[in-house]
Every structure is written in C-alpha cells, then in structure tokens.
Amino acid sequence: MRVLITGAAGFLGSHLTDRLLDEGCSVHGIDNFSTGDPANLANLACNPRFTFKEWDVCQSFDPGRVDYVFNLASPASPPEYLRLPIETLRVGSIGTENALEIAARYNAGFLHASTSECYGDPLEHPQTEDYWGHVNPVGPRSVYDEAKRYAEALVMAYHRTRSVNTHLARIFNTYGPRLHPSDGRVIPNFLMQALRGEPLSIYGDGSQTRSFCYVDDLITGLLLLARSAEHLPVNLGNPNEFTILECAQEVLHITGSSSQLCFESLPEDDPTRRCPDIAKARALLGWEPHIQLSDGLARSLDYYRRKIEARV
Ligand code: NAD
Ligand code: UDP
C-alpha cells in the first residue's frame, strides 16, 4: 500500500506517517513547511519506505500511483491562519482539489482533515454531524472555517460525481508531542509558559470550553475512518469538555509549576463552547478516545522540555 500524505511535516501528518510506516505501508509526504517542521520527520531520514517532496500543494503535482491520499495540508492554529489568510483559503480550495484529482486519477481512497470549526461558534451542544453550524463568513476566522467548509463540499462533489472513495474527519482540538511550541494553540502555549515559569495567558475570562484529544487516539480514529464505508462527516475528538481555566489548572498540576495566570483579550469570534458528540464514531468505527487530558499532558512533557533545552 502506497500512501500520499499532504502536510506530512506537520503535527498530525508526522504522527500519521509514523503509524502507517509501522503498519508496513510506503508513505510519500508532501509539505511546504509553511507551519510544519522538518524536525518532525528527522527520524525517517533512513527509512526506505518514506519519500518526501517539499512542495506547495496549490501547484499541481503527480506523486505517481498511490492507493490512498490523506489530505492534511493547511495551517491549523488561529495565529498561523491569521498570518496566512490567503494561503489558508488557497490550500483548502485549490490544494484540496489537486489532492482529489490525484485520488481520482489513481482510483485511490481519500481522507480529508476537516474540523470542528465547521460548526463555528455552535448554538447546539454537544455538536453532532448533522448540525450545520454557526459560522461568521466574513470574520477573521472565516479564512479557515470557510476554506474547510468549501473543502467538505468539494470532497462530497468528487464522491458523488467522480465516485472517489472519500472520507471526512471533523477533528476536534488535538494535542501532543510535535504540536509546535510556538504555533500559538492553547496547550503548547500553556505547557511552554508553565515550564518556563511564565504566566499562563488566558484569553477572555477562561470560561470558554474545548474538548482535548490526545494525538495517538486521534490517529487511531483517522485510520479506522479511512478504512470504513462512511462518506459523510464523522466527528473525531474527546468528549470530555474543559473550560480554558480548568485546562490551565491541569497544566499547572502536571508540570508542578507555580506560574500565575494572566488574562488577555479574547480573539474575535472565539467559539464559546466546543464538544463533540462521538456517537457516530462509536457506532460506525467502534472508536473512542482512551487517553484523558492529565495523562496526555504528562505524555507531552518530555517533548516541550527538550524544546526548551534546545531554546526553540
Ligand atoms: P500543522 O500546522 O502542524 O500541520 C499542517 C501542515 O500542512 C504543516 O506541515 C504545513 O507546513 C503544511 N501545509 C500548509 N499549507 C501547505 C501547502 N500549501 N502545501 C503543502 N503543505 C502545506 O497542523 P496540524 O494540527 O497537524 O493539522 C493538520 C490538519 O488537521 C490540518 O488540515 C488541520 O486543519 C486539521 N485539524 C487539526 C486539528 C488539531 O487540533 N490539531 C483540529 C482540526 C483539524
Ligand atoms: N487560548 C488561551 N490562551 C492561549 C491560547 C489559546 O486562552 O494562550 C484559548 C483560545 O482563546 C480558545 C482556546 O484557548 O478559546 C483554544 O484555542 P486554540 O488556539 O488552541 O484552538 P481553537 O479551538 O480556538 O482553534
């Protein structure tokens, strides 16, 4: 089995690469390093079943015959997609179309990394897959949210009219080693701040919620979905919901840090609540996460400690 992964040098892409190589697949990775890190793939330099091309997926490309395409390329952190707004729209639209064309050409399976952001600032709670969402189409986050919603429509069109065997994973906040220490998402921010003894930056009053999934659980879910017969979106995430203040307390507890909390302004359109209903993933895939936040944070510590030692 030869697999193409776009966004292979990113957080999720590099873990997915490792898992597929462990299973005996050959993996061809593509990444333009816009938010990814070559260090995430450094352990694979000598692996004969791994090949890599530095490339922007918005430029058409042909990786040769592949049996499966995982389309993960896209900035994913709010500060990064706000830094790269047009690039984010282009990779969600043109990049996804290029990846779908490859799947169509080689009759390959296709999984797209979609997101809970498709639900926007949700009015229904927890979020089920049949909720259509509450998205500001012109706010700052729209570059990500609407790119992902467009991509879902494009994927369904290739499935319906070109018979591509597609899958849509609506991924909720996922964390773990290789989530870049300076990419601005909440868990790397808090872990780096706690380990450095700096104040933890709480945006708003910290009452907004997120539901955090550890990367190993998420990768298991992605692979089960990729091998399933389901073409409509499936939520993948951990349904245990935390306020951001509770998340900060958990980080302080796991690190043993005595950092203070500091309160900063809430980004525009920051969703108030987010929690996946994973009944569909449980029923269709027999999947649910097993690693809870305290355990996942503990498993992530070494990576961030090493980054601090390396002064990243
Ligand atoms: P990441 O930023 O670590 O990885 C994204 C990768 O895509 C990076 O390596 C980046 O360089 C690459 N990339 C971006 N634009 C590209 C382009 N034009 N051409 C080639 N490569 C490009 O983020 P991540 O957390 O690993 O996210 C991976 C995917 O999963 C994204 O599509 C993201 O939207 C989705 N997702 C992630 C989460 C999460 O919590 N981690 C949640 C929902 C959805
Ligand atoms: N957040 C925070 N402090 C930080 C980074 C993020 O309080 O240093 C908040 C952010 O406002 C949001 C939540 O944590 O409410 C999750 O943010 P993240 O950027 O990780 O992901 P999002 O779910 O917003 O895409």
Side-chain angles (χ1 to χ4, degrees), residues 29 162 172 190:
R162 305 272 300 273
F172 284 64
F190 285 178

Side-chain angles (χ1 to χ4, degrees), residues 199-215:
L200 271 54
S201 52
I202 311 279
Y203 300 163
D205 63 5
S207 63
Q208 71 272 31
T209 69
R210 293 295 185 272
S211 305
F212 298 104
C213 188
Y214 188 68
V215 60

Side-chain angles (χ1 to χ4, degrees), residues 3 5 7-30 33 37-53 178:
V3 177
I5 301 182
F11 162 54
L12 295 181
S14 63
H15 282 279
L16 181 62
T17 300
D18 284 349
R19 187 78 74 89
L20 286 166
L21 289 169
D22 284 349
E23 288 187 0
C25 297
S26 296
V27 175
H28 182 65
I30 295 205
F33 297 123
D37 185 351
N40 289 340
L41 301 173
N43 56 323
L44 303 176
C46 300
N47 190 320
R49 282 186 286 108
F50 179 67
T51 52
F52 180 80
K53 185 176 173 70
R178 299 187 192 154

Side-chain angles (χ1 to χ4, degrees), residues 78 141 173 185-186 189 201-203 208 210 244 270 274:
R141 293 176 88 100
N173 298 64
R185 281 178 266 187
V186 64
N189 273 9
S201 52
I202 311 279
Y203 300 163
Q208 71 272 31
R210 293 295 185 272
I244 293 306
D270 196 287
R274 193 183 280 158

Side-chain angles (χ1 to χ4, degrees), residues 78-293:
E80 292 289 52
Y81 61 68
L82 296 179
R83 177 176 71 85
L84 299 164
I86 294 169
E87 291 85 345
T88 301
L89 283 158
R90 284 174 57 84
V91 73
S93 52
I94 302 164
T96 299
E97 188 169 339
N98 285 338
L100 280 161
E101 279 298 323
I102 290 164
R105 185 179 315 145
Y106 293 110
N107 199 19
F110 186 93
L111 182 140
H112 178 67
S114 189
T115 167
S116 55
E117 281 286 317
C118 288
Y119 302 121
D121 190 3
L123 302 178
E124 289 185 13
H125 196 77
Q127 292 80 56
T128 58
E129 290 86 349
D130 52 15
Y131 175 51
W132 289 357
H134 180 234
V135 173
N136 177 350
V138 292
R141 293 176 88 100
S142 65
V143 298
Y144 183 67
D145 300 8
E146 296 295 14
K148 289 289 183 180
R149 286 165 67 98
Y150 173 85
E152 286 201 358
L154 193 63
V155 168
M156 289 310 299
Y158 269 76
H159 172 63
R160 291 189 176 114
T161 65
R162 305 272 300 273
S163 303
V164 179
N165 177 22
T166 60
H167 306 280
L168 285 168
R170 285 202 183 135
I171 303 169
F172 284 64
N173 298 64
T174 302
Y175 69 99
R178 299 187 192 154
L179 180 47
H180 201 276
S182 59
D183 107 338
R185 281 178 266 187
V186 64
I187 288 190
N189 273 9
F190 285 178
L191 281 172
M192 292 297 278
Q193 290 161 342
L195 291 172
R196 287 177 167 143
E198 295 166 356
L200 271 54
S201 52
I202 311 279
Y203 300 163
D205 63 5
S207 63
Q208 71 272 31
T209 69
R210 293 295 185 272
S211 305
F212 298 104
C213 188
Y214 188 68
V215 60
D216 291 0
D217 280 332
L218 194 276
I219 299 296
T220 302
L222 283 183
L223 290 171
L224 287 168
L225 178 59
R227 290 160 184 160
S228 79
E230 179 62 17
H231 303 297
L232 290 168
V234 178
N235 287 341
L236 294 178
N238 190 318
N240 279 353
E241 187 181 1
F242 293 82
T243 67
I244 293 306
L245 270 179
E246 288 168 339
C247 174
Q249 296 300 346
E250 200 69 54
V251 167
L252 291 178
H253 176 67
I254 295 298
T255 54
S257 167
S258 49
S259 284
Q260 304 292 304
L261 305 181
C262 69
F263 291 83
E264 299 180 12
S265 54
L266 189 67
E268 194 176 334
D269 293 336
D270 196 287
T272 315
R273 302 184 72 182
R274 193 183 280 158
C275 179
D277 181 322
I278 61 163
K280 188 171 177 181
R282 279 196 177 105
L284 281 181
L285 314 176
W287 175 85
E288 62 182 2
H290 296 291
I291 299 164
Q292 298 312 330
L293 184 58

